[in-house]
Amino acid sequence: MKTKTVEYNHEYSKIESDGTVKIIEKKYTINIEPLKNKLGVMLVGMGGNNGTTFLSGILAYKNNICWNNKYGTHKVQFLGSISQFGSVHIGYDVNQKPHSKLFRDISDMHEPQNIVVGGWDICGDNMYEAAKKAHVLDYDLLEKLKHDLEIIQPLPSIYNPDFIATNQKIRANNIIKNNYLETIKYDIEKFKIENSLERVVVLWTASTERFHNGKWKNRNDLYNAIKDNDPEVSPSILFATAAAETGSIFLNGSPQNTICPAVIDNAKFFKTFVGGEDFKTGQTKLKSVLVDWLASSGIKPLSIVSYNHLGNNDGKNLDEERQFRSKELTKKNVIDDVVDENPNIFSSGKPDHAVVIKYVPAVGDSKRAMDEYYSELFLNGKHTLAIHNTCEDSLLAVPLMLDIVLFSELFSRITLNDENFDTVLSVLSLFFKAPIVKDTEPLINSFFKQKNGLENFFRILSGIPPNNHLYFL
């Protein structure tokens, strides 16, 4: 296949220092390189609920496995995946009937069966034993995958008890003893060679770490910190550093502040990419929709209270304060840009916002979330919206993991005016609670703005203009 080229004239508005609005025009030549053969994905936390479910889903899809449960016979469909099932509006025909294309049909992305999965875990259980402990897969599916899963053993990982909860110590029987960075780099390079891979995506789906307090400004500071055994260098930062050195993409699916300025500078030096942070799947994704909807309707949210309990290992790790604090911050920050966008509604400040997470082993991966949105209406009327949401945590996360892997790999093959995408893949913001963006770019959390931006970019890749919804003109 040949490189695809699209010409695009971009117009946008910018507010000048004197308050005037300036229209800026910029011409782009967009080149999309053809697909390579296979894509490698290395999961940090491969033996957890998300990791085992991701691996199992890919294997079942590759082998066209069907399984039975009380609802009937099933096969793998990546429902919840925007790359596989999301549609981009293309236009209306003469009868005003809408037409659309799937994201995956607009620009070549890897098929799930072309993904090779490997990874690390601090627990040495083979993937069958790990998946059995996770209690996510239907029994019939688990048993049909038993042979394939039993032969897959996670690579030893980095265990630093200062960064994750003390209750994780019981799992830590498969750990790297020393030379952390060199070992992880060796693992990635070996995985690439053994599987004839051009590109690897390293995806952190391990336990939430506490926030690090490193003040490193650039890659030199970071490498000095690693050399000096700085106690603020977390395992996730070591994985991100190893990913950069091997030319791999690093994506952070947990809420800790891994992708700091020094990590970004290092990825930029090696001409690769980072994205994150913290998968936006259930309760927080709903919040990014509902707060925007309330404020866009002219209604004033006064308080938002989010409670959830879950019984998987993620919930167990969050049972300790420092790890919970990382998660709390990403959950609370998701409404910031909606508040900034509606200064008249929020003239007295942000809504009161409380987040509670409790570990309840009995419910396993089936997370219960309860939210109350308390708002002010006309003539000081009050409006209460209460929502109960029960979801299989990993079954929401895995299609999103597939999305960020496939989209990030696609964007790594796209150049804009002969320049690569920026190191920070802010175009993936739709998939993260706390999106990382470059310094010159606004931070957007609103679901609809994020989705609209992604759809419009794919419209541009189709050779048609962004959608402005001005159908009456």
Side-chain angles (χ1 to χ4, degrees):
M1 296 179 66
K2 295 181 179 180
T3 298
K4 177 181 176 182
T5 300
V6 177
E7 301 292 339
Y8 170 60
N9 294 326
H10 184 48
E11 286 189 354
Y12 64 99
S13 57
K14 193 80 174 176
I15 308 301
E16 300 287 88
S17 57
D18 61 359
T20 58
V21 180
K22 183 179 180 182
I23 306 300
I24 299 174
E25 298 182 14
K26 191 170 183 179
K27 293 184 177 181
Y28 285 98
T29 298
I30 304 173
N31 289 314
I32 308 131
E33 294 180 8
L35 272 174
K36 303 292 194 247
N37 212 5
K38 291 184 292 185
L39 173 62
V41 176
M42 297 192 77
L43 304 173
V44 190
M46 186 180 181
N49 286 37
N50 287 346
T52 55
T53 308
F54 182 89
L55 171 62
S56 299
I58 295 295
L59 289 175
Y61 188 83
K62 282 183 180 181
N63 297 320
N64 199 28
I65 291 176
C66 293
W67 74 98
N68 296 302
N69 63 16
K70 63 183 180 180
Y71 299 108
T73 302
H74 309 276
K75 64 179 182 179
V76 175
Q77 296 186 81
F78 288 100
L79 293 171
S81 164
I82 289 175
S83 65
Q84 303 304 297
F85 284 95
S87 296
V88 178
H89 176 72
I90 301 300
Y92 290 91
D93 63 23
V94 293
N95 297 313
Q96 309 312 319
K97 180 182 177 181
H99 290 254
S100 63
K101 286 185 178 181
L102 295 175
F103 278 95
R104 60 188 172 93
D105 291 337
I106 289 174
S107 189
D108 285 337
M109 287 191 279
H110 279 284
E111 296 287 344
Q113 65 265 28
N114 291 334
I115 293 175
V116 183
V117 184
W120 306 264
D121 202 278
I122 62 172
C123 178
D125 289 344
N126 67 57
M127 289 299 98
Y128 172 73
E129 291 299 325
K132 189 161 65 171
K133 287 180 180 179
H135 301 293
V136 176
L137 304 182
D138 284 330
Y139 178 77
D140 190 40
L141 175 58
L142 177 63
E143 290 306 301
K144 286 182 175 178
L145 290 169
K146 182 176 181 179
H147 174 72
D148 290 330
L149 292 174
E150 277 185 328
I151 61 175
I152 301 175
Q153 199 85 24
L155 295 163
S157 192
I158 303 172
Y159 173 64
N160 185 335
D162 185 41
F163 279 92
I164 58 174
T166 55
N167 57 37
Q168 299 299 301
K169 184 177 181 180
I170 193 172
R171 299 183 65 247
N173 60 11
N174 189 46
I175 59 178
I176 301 170
K177 301 297 185 182
N178 48 43
N179 297 324
Y180 300 135
L181 185 59
E182 294 304 316
T183 300
I184 297 301
K185 285 162 52 181
Y186 173 81
D187 290 341
I188 297 171
E189 293 291 5
K190 183 180 179 183
F191 184 70
K192 287 170 70 174
I193 293 169
E194 288 180 343
N195 295 286
S196 303
L197 303 170
E198 292 284 337
R199 174 75 80 177
V200 169
V201 177
V202 176
L203 175 58
W204 179 279
T205 185
S207 296
T208 297
E209 298 175 332
R210 69 163 173 88
F211 269 36
H212 71 78
N213 296 305
K215 306 300 181 186
W216 324 295
K217 295 179 180 178
N218 52 49
R219 64 181 304 270
N220 289 332
D221 290 347
L222 176 60
Y223 279 93
N224 286 333
I226 294 172
K227 180 181 176 182
D228 295 339
N229 295 314
D230 186 334
E232 291 303 312
V233 176
S234 65
S236 62
I237 286 178
L238 290 168
F239 275 98
T241 305
E245 287 198 39
T246 57
S248 305
I249 300 169
F250 180 80
L251 304 169
N252 178 27
S254 290
Q256 70 270 353
N257 57 340
T258 305
I259 304 177
C260 59
V263 166
I264 293 171
D265 186 49
N266 194 47
K268 190 184 293 289
F269 178 84
F270 287 104
K271 294 182 171 57
T272 186
F273 306 92
V274 294
E277 293 175 313
D278 200 6
F279 300 140
K280 184 165 68 175
T281 51
Q283 187 181 44
T284 309
K285 181 180 285 188
L286 182 63
K287 188 179 297 183
S288 73
V289 172
L290 283 177
V291 176
D292 192 17
W293 165 68
L294 288 166
S296 297
S297 302
I299 297 172
K300 180 180 181 179
L302 298 172
S303 70
I304 303 161
V305 180
S306 298
Y307 165 89
N308 60 75
H309 64 267
L310 68 165
N312 59 22
N313 192 59
D314 182 41
K316 185 176 182 180
N317 182 64
L318 293 174
D319 206 36
E320 294 192 9
E321 178 59 31
R322 293 189 304 171
Q323 288 71 34
F324 164 71
R325 181 61 178 158
S326 299
K327 177 70 77 172
E328 181 185 32
L329 288 172
T330 62
K331 279 180 167 283
K332 282 187 173 182
N333 291 346
V334 76
I335 67 168
D336 285 356
D337 65 314
V338 176
V339 172
D340 293 340
E341 187 76 15
N342 296 275
N344 290 334
I345 291 178
F346 297 105
S347 57
S348 55
K350 290 184 182 181
D352 294 335
H353 195 174
V355 174
V356 178
I357 301 175
K358 294 296 182 183
Y359 175 54
V360 180
V363 302
D365 200 56
S366 183
K367 181 165 68 175
R368 271 71 165 166
M370 285 156 273
D371 294 79
E372 181 190 87
Y373 298 81
Y374 180 58
S375 304
E376 183 178 344
L377 301 174
F378 177 58
L379 296 179
N380 198 37
K382 298 299 188 288
H383 174 268
T384 300
L385 181 63
I387 297 173
H388 181 276
N389 172 21
T390 300
C391 62
E392 296 285 349
D393 209 26
S394 300
L395 301 186
L396 284 178
V398 166
L400 186 147
M401 291 163 62
L402 178 66
D403 284 342
I404 61 174
V405 164
L406 296 183
F407 281 121
S408 64
E409 191 282 331
L410 168 63
F411 299 141
S412 75
R413 290 185 280 114
I414 294 178
T415 59
L416 309 172
N417 293 343
D418 295 325
E419 296 286 338
N420 291 333
F421 256 86
D422 190 86
T423 296
V424 179
L425 291 175
S426 55
V427 69
L428 299 175
S429 291
L430 176 66
F431 305 106
F432 294 104
K433 291 187 183 79
I436 303 297
V437 301
K438 57 187 179 182
D439 293 339
T440 57
E441 193 174 357
L443 176 60
I444 296 172
N445 278 302
S446 170
F447 177 85
F448 295 113
K449 289 181 182 177
Q450 292 171 337
K451 181 73 162 27
N452 188 251
L454 189 63
E455 286 182 357
N456 276 333
F457 185 65
F458 272 72
R459 286 172 61 87
I460 291 166
L461 296 182
S462 294
I464 59 178
N467 197 348
N468 57 26
H469 303 287
L470 299 178
Y471 303 119
F472 51 84
L473 292 181

